[in-house]
Amino acid sequence: MCTAFAMASLGCSDAGLQPIQKKPAAYDDELRIRGEVCASPAEDTLFPVKILFVVDTSDSMSVTDRGAVRAQAVSEVLARFAGHPAVQFGVIAFDAKVEPLTKGFTNAPDIGAVGARLSMADRLTDYQGALGSAYTLLSQDMADSSAADRARTKYVVIFFSDGTPDPQC
């Protein structure tokens, strides 16, 4: 009788049916890849710096810069970086005549010719002509460069002058 009572008390319950929880299966979450990558040899990519000197050689500079220090300074910079593959120069002299002294940008400018022309003096200070010539030189260089080179290139314009523009436009 005790056994029947124990069975009866164990057999009745208000509990709902619950599924048996199985242990989760182990998942393979790793990926293995085999293959070959063919790349071109490693090389240094140049980030060019192009420096444009626009130098006033008007008569007033012979008073302001009696020792032609500007010509000496430009020549020293050109000599220091001449032949460097990442540095190129453009030089424009201006007075009554605007004269590009380099054909575009170059890393091998004629330092003697540049120094000689920058030591000369004339009466007028043609800012407008000099800036127009600088704009043309920069625009042409950018148009001739590839998109990748243009994106990496840093342009530096150094404008040496004194006094007021003449003629005034």
Side-chain angles (χ1 to χ4, degrees), residues 45-67:
T45 301
L46 294 177
F47 285 80
V49 176
K50 296 186 178 184
I51 302 170
L52 176 59
F53 290 101
V54 184
V55 184
D56 181 354
T57 56
S58 66
D59 194 40
S60 64
M61 289 300 284
S62 63
V63 176
T64 308
D65 182 19
R66 291 184 184 190

Side-chain angles (χ1 to χ4, degrees), residues 53-155:
F53 290 101
V54 184
V55 184
D56 181 354
T57 56
S58 66
D59 194 40
S60 64
M61 289 300 284
S62 63
V63 176
T64 308
D65 182 19
R66 291 184 184 190
V69 176
R70 70 192 181 284
Q72 179 184 351
V74 171
S75 295
E76 286 177 9
V77 172
L78 296 178
R80 181 174 181 185
F81 293 101
H84 192 291
V87 181
Q88 294 184 349
F89 298 98
V91 182
I92 298 172
F94 71 98
D95 43 40
K97 177 181 178 185
V98 177
E99 187 175 5
L101 304 178
T102 57
K103 293 180 181 177
F105 286 95
T106 179
N107 66 352
D110 184 349
I111 298 170
V114 168
R117 174 60 177 93
L118 296 182
S119 298
M120 295 180 183
D122 193 9
R123 297 209 38 93
L124 301 178
T125 310
D126 186 5
Y127 277 24
Q128 184 176 9
L131 293 174
S133 183
Y135 179 82
T136 300
L137 190 145
L138 292 167
S139 297
Q140 189 62 50
D141 187 75
M142 289 176 203
D144 293 343
S145 299
S146 69
D149 284 341
R150 210 171 27 251
R152 290 191 315 268
T153 301
K154 179 177 184 175
Y155 289 93

